[in-house]
Amino acid sequence: MMHECTIEAYQVDEEGTVSYGEPVTTVCGFKALSYSRRDGGTLYDTVQADGEVRLPLSVSIGMHDRVTLTASFGTALDPVRHYEVCELPDSFGPSGHVVRVKEVYL
């Protein structure tokens, strides 16, 4: 895994206020997706996910958690990219699991 990211757990309190937990730093793999070019789609199709993040099995992640991509191939990213988990894996592989993410702008 050639990237580094932080994961912040999505939290909702009793009053419905959304917040995020303390960031947890981990290694990850990131792959950008382009649905408009795949499967005969058009530029006007709704984007389901902007990328896939591969994580070690020891890292827990849930729907709507925030993933911030901070480094790529040992080089810090400036600016960092923020994503929200929009799809969890159906299964886990021997070295990790893959979640799909959608970019968010803070």
Side-chain angles (χ1 to χ4, degrees), residues 1-7 25-33 51-61 67-69 71 73 83 85 87 89 91-101:
M1 297 186 199
M2 305 307 289
H3 298 88
E4 188 175 288
C5 65
T6 60
I7 298 172
T25 301
T26 183
V27 296
C28 66
F30 179 79
K31 179 173 89 172
L33 298 177
E52 292 180 339
V53 177
R54 190 177 65 239
L55 297 162
L57 288 174
S58 60
V59 175
S60 67
I61 193 160
V67 177
T68 302
L69 197 57
F73 295 95
Y83 298 90
V85 176
E87 185 179 330
S91 62
F92 297 91
S95 64
H97 52 105
V98 177
V99 297
R100 291 199 174 174
V101 294

Side-chain angles (χ1 to χ4, degrees), residues 10-19:
Y10 176 81
Q11 302 168 342
V12 180
D13 67 12
E14 295 172 359
E15 298 170 0
T17 304
V18 173
S19 63

